[in-house]
Amino acid sequence: MNNTRRLTAFGVLGLLIGSPPMPVAAADVYRVGMLSLGGGTGATKDFEAFRDRLNSLGYAEGRNLVIERRYAQGQFERLPALAAELVRLNVDVIVTITTPAAQAAKAATSTIPIVMAGSANPVELGLVASLARPGANVTGVTNSLGDGFNAKQLQLLKEAAPRISRVAVIMNDSSIEVTAFGHMQAASAALGVAVVAFNSESSNEIDLDALGKLRADALYVFPNAGNSRHAKAILAFAAENRLPAIYGDREAVEAGGLMSYWTNWLELRRHAAVYVDKILKGARPADLPVEQPTRFELVINLKTAKALGLTIPQSVLLRADEVIQ
């Protein structure tokens, strides 16, 4: 680590006659920046998961750790300024939550280590040279789940609601989600469904009238910033129109959505703390391979299923990590 980024506290005992001063051992205080596109309850849970894992590794705010949190509250345009602010604070490491946050941090500094606490397609987006050898100042964990994962979600939705035939995919126009939609299209015929894209990316209200005109009988909702911003509206639309829906975030299911299947987001935040610990102890980001998710969770809301008139097959329920009654 660069010692100029550490805050060091010294104490000195009083002088005794004929004795030299006796310094108390120095204690390093590390300054960690956290940059997130989001805000609100989800951001608080992310922070607590990350902080608690750091605590278990021997770091504690007020003793040897300062965490500088910066939230863009869903506003992409705020990220560059917030990243620049963390750079000016000369933090020891920047932890990023969401892909846009990682991109903003990388654009702001090529020297301060950056740890991704979940970022999609880091190689394709130029955040790292490769997963095995990141090569610069960025490393961490990715939330990229592989080419077949989105098709697997579509299959789970069809198994849970066998009568569906037309699924509206609520997405943005990023290359990541466009590619994933292509994989879903390729798998849809074999599943007996048609998928139609609906772009929800808007700084204002989601166009529910346009969504309704697609005449879908089910929804697939990507876990992106736009959909998080419109979460209540999407949930209400699904309930009012009695549409089975699968999400990429368990919070949507806790709020009344039918089901979710994705990586455990808080696990990614916790694992980012392991990278931070290694970097603070002297490891170089370039030498720390980027890790992919290994834990996924299926959450099903049976109360919502009942409201939709669905009987979830036992074969699906047995695979669930959690069933909300």
Side-chain angles (χ1 to χ4, degrees), residues 59-233:
Y59 302 89
E61 289 182 284
R63 179 166 59 84
N64 61 353
L65 177 69
V66 174
I67 302 179
E68 299 283 356
R69 290 182 278 172
R70 299 295 183 272
Y71 300 125
Q73 303 296 334
Q75 300 176 42
F76 291 84
E77 65 276 9
R78 293 185 59 194
L79 285 171
L82 294 175
E85 188 175 333
L86 291 175
V87 171
R88 286 195 298 273
L89 289 173
N90 207 26
V91 295
D92 291 291
V93 58
I94 298 174
V95 177
T96 62
I97 296 176
T98 70
T99 306
Q103 292 174 301
K106 182 174 175 62
T109 178
S110 60
T111 56
I112 296 176
I114 297 169
V115 172
M116 302 176 293
S119 178
N121 297 25
V123 176
E124 292 84 344
L125 295 177
L127 291 168
V128 297
S130 70
L131 297 183
R133 296 180 180 277
N137 66 319
V138 182
T139 187
V141 289
T142 172
N143 55 277
S144 295
L145 306 174
D147 292 348
F149 187 83
N150 304 99
K152 175 64 175 178
Q153 290 174 293
L154 198 59
Q155 178 185 334
L156 279 169
L157 180 60
K158 178 68 173 180
E159 288 183 53
R163 294 182 180 180
I164 65 172
S165 61
R166 186 173 173 84
V167 181
V169 179
I170 304 179
M171 57 188 289
N172 61 33
D173 59 1
S174 69
S175 60
I176 296 168
E177 294 189 11
V178 170
T179 298
F181 179 74
H183 294 149
M184 294 170 71
Q185 280 184 307
S188 62
L191 295 174
V193 298
V195 291
V196 289
F198 179 80
N199 192 332
S200 66
E201 196 59 62
S202 170
S203 58
N204 299 311
E205 296 182 0
I206 185 171
D207 191 345
L208 297 178
D209 288 338
L211 179 58
K213 289 177 181 177
L214 293 179
R215 300 190 180 282
D217 53 17
L219 303 177
Y220 174 106
V221 186
F222 270 102
N224 59 44
N227 289 344
S228 294
R229 189 162 55 243
H230 305 310
K232 290 183 179 179

Side-chain angles (χ1 to χ4, degrees), residues 213-292:
K213 289 177 181 177
L214 293 179
R215 300 190 180 282
D217 53 17
L219 303 177
Y220 174 106
V221 186
F222 270 102
N224 59 44
N227 289 344
S228 294
R229 189 162 55 243
H230 305 310
K232 290 183 179 179
I234 294 172
L235 284 165
F237 179 87
E240 290 168 6
N241 292 277
R242 297 175 59 81
L243 302 178
I246 188 166
Y247 301 81
D249 190 336
R250 64 171 294 137
E251 288 189 358
V253 183
E254 292 169 352
L258 176 63
M259 61 195 299
S260 66
Y261 185 58
W262 206 271
T263 185
N264 185 309
W265 293 99
L266 294 183
E267 194 63 32
L268 299 185
R269 315 318 185 206
R270 283 188 281 266
H271 198 56
V274 176
Y275 279 85
V276 170
D277 176 51
K278 291 178 180 180
I279 290 170
L280 294 180
K281 289 177 178 175
R284 297 172 62 246
D287 299 330
L288 297 175
V290 174
E291 295 185 30
Q292 295 176 289

